[in-house]
Amino acid sequence: MGQVKDSTGLYWERSPAEIAEQAKHEAEVEHRVAEMKREGFWSLRRLPKVPEPARPKVHWDYLCEEMQWLAADFAQERRWKRGVARKVVRMVMRHHEEQRQRQERAKREEQAKLRRVAAAIAREVRHFWSSVEKVVQFKQQSRLEEKRKKALDLQLDFIVGQTERYSDLLSRSLNAPRPRPAALTCAGAFGGPAEPQPQRAPAPPRRPHLRR
């Protein structure tokens, strides 16, 4: 048994008969190469590569072309669908964004409207209470004026009454008979009738204090 290295670099165990057969085959190959060199059919250069003749198309070729076209069509359709999906997604996002903005705008407008209504109501309430305050002030002023007028009327009545009393007393004092001379007065002392003495006018009453 011997080991022989093949073209792949591996060692194989062969029998002596196989080794002898391999050596005989190699010797025949070398002898044939030498003969071809002598005849001029063996060249050290590589022979040019002869192009193969064009092969006619068969059913499998048409099937492969159809599959290739179908794969390209599917890939193109997939790219088109992806592009359309991106556009639809952007449109949906834009729609929801616009809807959200419209809702926020409507909410802000509603709040502004409520604020305007509240401001108008507040102005009306302020105007109402200011009018009520003016009415209350006017009523208080009217009551004060009425009390002052009553006090002035009382004072005027008191003054008029005192004036009439003083006038009456003055007229009485002026209308009283004048006293006689001393001789006539002395006559009364000797048994004659005595003249009545004039009475003094009473003092005027004190003026009451009026509160305003």
Side-chain angles (χ1 to χ4, degrees), residues 55-68:
R55 185 175 59 84
K57 288 185 177 181
V58 295
H59 175 70
W60 185 255
D61 296 329
Y62 289 107
L63 181 62
C64 290
E65 289 180 359
E66 186 68 20
M67 294 299 294
Q68 186 177 2

Side-chain angles (χ1 to χ4, degrees), residues 12-156:
W12 299 87
E13 293 183 357
R14 295 183 179 182
S15 63
E18 292 177 353
I19 294 173
E21 186 69 26
Q22 181 70 22
K24 183 179 178 182
H25 179 68
E26 290 179 358
E28 289 178 357
V29 170
E30 290 179 358
H31 180 68
R32 181 61 181 165
V33 169
E35 288 180 356
M36 293 181 70
K37 284 181 179 181
R38 285 194 301 269
E39 292 176 359
F41 293 108
W42 187 265
S43 177
L44 297 178
R45 297 179 302 175
R46 296 185 62 181
L47 295 175
K49 186 176 181 181
V50 179
E52 295 183 358
R55 185 175 59 84
K57 288 185 177 181
V58 295
H59 175 70
W60 185 255
D61 296 329
Y62 289 107
L63 181 62
C64 290
E65 289 180 359
E66 186 68 20
M67 294 299 294
Q68 186 177 2
W69 174 84
L70 190 61
D73 183 67
F74 269 94
Q76 183 178 2
E77 186 177 1
R78 184 167 55 253
R79 289 193 298 269
W80 174 76
K81 287 183 177 180
R82 288 180 179 177
V84 172
R86 284 193 293 270
K87 291 181 179 179
V88 172
V89 168
R90 285 195 292 269
M91 291 172 62
V92 171
M93 292 176 62
R94 188 182 303 110
H95 170 71
H96 286 287
E97 183 66 22
E98 291 177 354
Q99 188 174 5
R100 185 181 63 82
Q101 291 179 359
R102 285 196 298 269
Q103 291 178 357
E104 291 181 355
R105 190 181 306 111
K107 188 182 295 183
R108 289 195 298 269
E109 291 178 356
E110 184 68 21
Q111 291 179 357
K113 183 179 179 180
L114 292 176
R115 288 180 179 177
R116 289 194 296 269
V117 172
I121 293 174
R123 286 194 298 270
E124 293 296 331
V125 170
R126 191 183 305 110
H127 178 70
F128 171 75
W129 285 112
S130 63
S131 302
V132 170
E133 184 178 2
K134 291 180 180 178
V135 171
V136 171
Q137 291 179 357
F138 177 75
K139 287 185 176 180
Q140 291 179 353
Q141 189 70 23
S142 300
R143 290 177 181 177
L144 291 176
E145 292 293 336
E146 186 177 358
K147 289 181 180 180
R148 187 179 295 108
K149 185 177 180 181
K150 288 182 179 179
L152 292 175
D153 291 340
L154 291 175
Q155 186 177 3
L156 182 60

